Amino acid sequence: MKLHPHISIRLARNKGELEKAFKIREIVFINEQHVSRRLERDGLDGTSKHVLLFLGGKAVGAARVRFEGKTARLQRMAILKQFRGRGLGKALVRHLLSYGRRHGAKNAVIHAQYYLKEFYSGLGFVGKGKPFQEACIQHIQMVRAL
Ligand SMILES: CC(C)(COP(=O)(O)OP(=O)(O)OC[C@H]1O[C@@H](n2cnc3c(N)ncnc32)[C@H](O)[C@@H]1OP(=O)(O)O)[C@@H](O)C(=O)NCCC(=O)NCCS
């Protein structure tokens, strides 16, 4: 039986770890999804909380959270392609939800890429409003209480 390597999810602790989060985002959003660097690095990183997911000590996932009043806005959710489909994305979102809750947020919001609607529905989010284009990719706003 294949043993599951150790998974840990936590805030980026220093500049080096922050760079790891930016690198994962670059690979996933800029290289893979062709989002422009200007949109990806939108100037809001300095006021966001950054989370990394480590698998056996290697950073393979990243996301950021922004607090807006009682709302936690989850953004830049990314798992490196070769590590997808084994529950890491779900674990990352669950971590962000509990992090948001612990920090006083009452609800969570995400601009979900439309093709991931079912992924986020499975995590308790419901779609709100009509789909829209962002960075040339179809999105839908999804919300859930915390
Ligand atoms: C979205 C993302 C983080 C999900 O990570 P992941 O590790 O593959 O997700 P998981 O393995 O935890 O998947 C959990 C569930 O969602 C489903 N799922 C994952 N990606 C999916 C997809 N592209 N389409 C449909 N379902 C998907 C899985 O089948 C799984 O379902 P199950 O629990 O019933 O088996 C990852 O696909 C990614 O980085 N994508 C590129 C960046 C991106 O689009 N980010 C989201 C911005 S809103």
Side-chain angles (χ1 to χ4, degrees):
M1 195 178 76
K2 203 176 163 200
L3 287 176
H4 210 286
H6 180 64
I7 294 170
S8 78
I9 309 174
R10 57 167 177 78
L11 287 180
R13 287 182 180 149
N14 52 44
K15 204 160 172 277
E17 289 194 351
L18 196 55
E19 287 303 325
K20 285 186 184 180
F22 293 158
K23 186 70 200 171
I24 291 168
R25 284 166 39 180
E26 177 179 346
I27 292 168
V28 171
F29 295 113
I30 300 177
N31 299 347
E32 183 187 330
Q33 295 193 335
H34 309 295
V35 174
S36 75
R37 192 171 294 274
R38 186 180 56 81
L39 282 180
E40 207 291 309
R41 297 296 295 276
D42 58 1
L44 298 175
D45 285 318
T47 52
S48 303
K49 297 292 179 192
H50 299 271
V51 170
L52 278 169
L53 183 148
F54 296 88
L55 188 63
K58 177 183 159 63
V60 303
R64 78 178 188 195
V65 187
R66 299 183 57 73
F67 290 97
E68 298 168 1
K70 293 285 175 200
T71 298
R73 190 173 286 278
L74 314 189
Q75 298 181 319
R76 305 296 192 274
M77 220 87 68
I79 299 288
L80 292 177
K81 201 169 192 168
Q82 58 272 41
F83 297 99
R84 290 181 197 154
R86 49 170 98 170
L88 300 181
K90 241 179 190 171
L92 181 59
V93 175
R94 288 209 178 99
H95 180 93
L96 297 169
L97 295 175
S98 90
Y99 175 78
R101 200 177 293 125
R102 284 200 309 279
H103 287 78
K106 296 291 176 217
N107 55 75
V109 176
I110 185 159
H111 281 180
Q113 295 195 13
Y114 196 80
Y115 82 105
L116 289 170
K117 202 164 173 268
E118 298 308 317
F119 170 73
Y120 291 115
S121 299
L123 289 155
F125 285 86
V126 293
K128 196 174 164 195
K130 289 200 179 112
F132 57 93
Q133 293 285 322
E134 195 173 85
C136 303
I137 297 172
Q138 197 177 33
H139 283 74
I140 183 162
Q141 172 156 279
M142 297 187 80
V143 297
R144 64 156 281 173
L146 290 180

mmCIF file of all heavy atoms in Angstrom, residues 9-10 13 65 78 93 114 133 138 143:
data_model
loop_
_atom_site.group_PDB
_atom_site.id
_atom_site.type_symbol
_atom_site.label_atom_id
_atom_site.label_comp_id
_atom_site.label_asym_id
_atom_site.label_seq_id
_atom_site.Cartn_x
_atom_site.Cartn_y
_atom_site.Cartn_z
ATOM 1 N N ILE A 9 -0.691 22.445 6.118
ATOM 2 C CA ILE A 9 -1.217 23.664 5.501
ATOM 3 C C ILE A 9 -1.081 24.770 6.523
ATOM 4 O O ILE A 9 -1.551 24.628 7.656
ATOM 5 C CB ILE A 9 -2.701 23.507 5.099
ATOM 6 C CG1 ILE A 9 -2.911 22.234 4.270
ATOM 7 C CG2 ILE A 9 -3.189 24.729 4.320
ATOM 8 C CD1 ILE A 9 -4.368 21.919 3.957
ATOM 9 N N ARG A 10 -0.429 25.849 6.141
ATOM 10 C CA ARG A 10 -0.236 26.945 7.111
ATOM 11 C C ARG A 10 0.125 28.235 6.392
ATOM 12 O O ARG A 10 0.430 28.237 5.200
ATOM 13 C CB ARG A 10 0.843 26.559 8.124
ATOM 14 C CG ARG A 10 2.177 26.214 7.502
ATOM 15 C CD ARG A 10 3.278 26.149 8.546
ATOM 16 N NE ARG A 10 4.548 25.758 7.982
ATOM 17 C CZ ARG A 10 5.362 26.540 7.298
ATOM 18 N NH1 ARG A 10 5.024 27.799 7.048
ATOM 19 N NH2 ARG A 10 6.519 26.089 6.830
ATOM 20 N N ARG A 13 5.524 31.878 6.248
ATOM 21 C CA ARG A 13 6.138 32.451 7.459
ATOM 22 C C ARG A 13 7.166 33.524 7.197
ATOM 23 O O ARG A 13 7.553 34.252 8.098
ATOM 24 C CB ARG A 13 6.824 31.342 8.253
ATOM 25 C CG ARG A 13 5.837 30.449 8.947
ATOM 26 C CD ARG A 13 6.567 29.390 9.758
ATOM 27 N NE ARG A 13 5.602 28.534 10.420
ATOM 28 C CZ ARG A 13 5.814 27.259 10.685
ATOM 29 N NH1 ARG A 13 6.948 26.684 10.361
ATOM 30 N NH2 ARG A 13 4.878 26.559 11.288
ATOM 31 N N VAL A 65 -5.992 34.902 1.315
ATOM 32 C CA VAL A 65 -7.281 35.305 1.916
ATOM 33 C C VAL A 65 -7.233 36.796 2.168
ATOM 34 O O VAL A 65 -6.217 37.327 2.632
ATOM 35 C CB VAL A 65 -7.513 34.633 3.289
ATOM 36 C CG1 VAL A 65 -8.916 34.935 3.807
ATOM 37 C CG2 VAL A 65 -7.301 33.147 3.215
ATOM 38 N N ALA A 78 -4.541 27.441 -5.770
ATOM 39 C CA ALA A 78 -3.781 26.714 -6.802
ATOM 40 C C ALA A 78 -3.072 25.500 -6.223
ATOM 41 O O ALA A 78 -2.414 25.582 -5.188
ATOM 42 C CB ALA A 78 -2.745 27.653 -7.427
ATOM 43 N N VAL A 93 -9.053 24.415 0.734
ATOM 44 C CA VAL A 93 -10.239 25.269 0.927
ATOM 45 C C VAL A 93 -10.763 25.111 2.356
ATOM 46 O O VAL A 93 -11.070 26.096 3.030
ATOM 47 C CB VAL A 93 -11.351 24.950 -0.100
ATOM 48 C CG1 VAL A 93 -12.611 25.768 0.198
ATOM 49 C CG2 VAL A 93 -10.863 25.221 -1.517
ATOM 50 N N TYR A 114 -15.776 29.045 -13.510
ATOM 51 C CA TYR A 114 -17.081 28.415 -13.671
ATOM 52 C C TYR A 114 -16.991 26.896 -13.717
ATOM 53 O O TYR A 114 -17.828 26.191 -13.171
ATOM 54 C CB TYR A 114 -17.779 28.961 -14.922
ATOM 55 C CG TYR A 114 -19.247 28.648 -14.911
ATOM 56 C CD1 TYR A 114 -20.136 29.406 -14.162
ATOM 57 C CD2 TYR A 114 -19.744 27.552 -15.613
ATOM 58 C CE1 TYR A 114 -21.472 29.101 -14.105
ATOM 59 C CE2 TYR A 114 -21.090 27.235 -15.561
ATOM 60 C CZ TYR A 114 -21.945 28.021 -14.810
ATOM 61 O OH TYR A 114 -23.273 27.711 -14.747
ATOM 62 N N GLN A 133 -17.016 37.446 -16.829
ATOM 63 C CA GLN A 133 -15.643 37.224 -17.302
ATOM 64 C C GLN A 133 -14.660 37.966 -16.405
ATOM 65 O O GLN A 133 -14.886 39.113 -16.052
ATOM 66 C CB GLN A 133 -15.482 37.779 -18.726
ATOM 67 C CG GLN A 133 -16.277 37.049 -19.784
ATOM 68 C CD GLN A 133 -15.668 35.709 -20.161
ATOM 69 O OE1 GLN A 133 -14.451 35.571 -20.238
ATOM 70 N NE2 GLN A 133 -16.518 34.727 -20.391
ATOM 71 N N GLN A 138 -14.357 32.507 -17.601
ATOM 72 C CA GLN A 138 -15.700 32.629 -17.040
ATOM 73 C C GLN A 138 -15.699 32.275 -15.541
ATOM 74 O O GLN A 138 -15.137 31.250 -15.149
ATOM 75 C CB GLN A 138 -16.670 31.720 -17.793
ATOM 76 C CG GLN A 138 -18.109 32.115 -17.519
ATOM 77 C CD GLN A 138 -19.111 31.295 -18.294
ATOM 78 O OE1 GLN A 138 -18.902 30.127 -18.555
ATOM 79 N NE2 GLN A 138 -20.221 31.918 -18.629
ATOM 80 N N VAL A 143 -20.798 31.898 -2.493
ATOM 81 C CA VAL A 143 -20.732 32.335 -1.093
ATOM 82 C C VAL A 143 -21.118 31.192 -0.161
ATOM 83 O O VAL A 143 -21.814 30.258 -0.567
ATOM 84 C CB VAL A 143 -21.696 33.527 -0.829
ATOM 85 C CG1 VAL A 143 -21.308 34.734 -1.640
ATOM 86 C CG2 VAL A 143 -23.133 33.140 -1.120
#
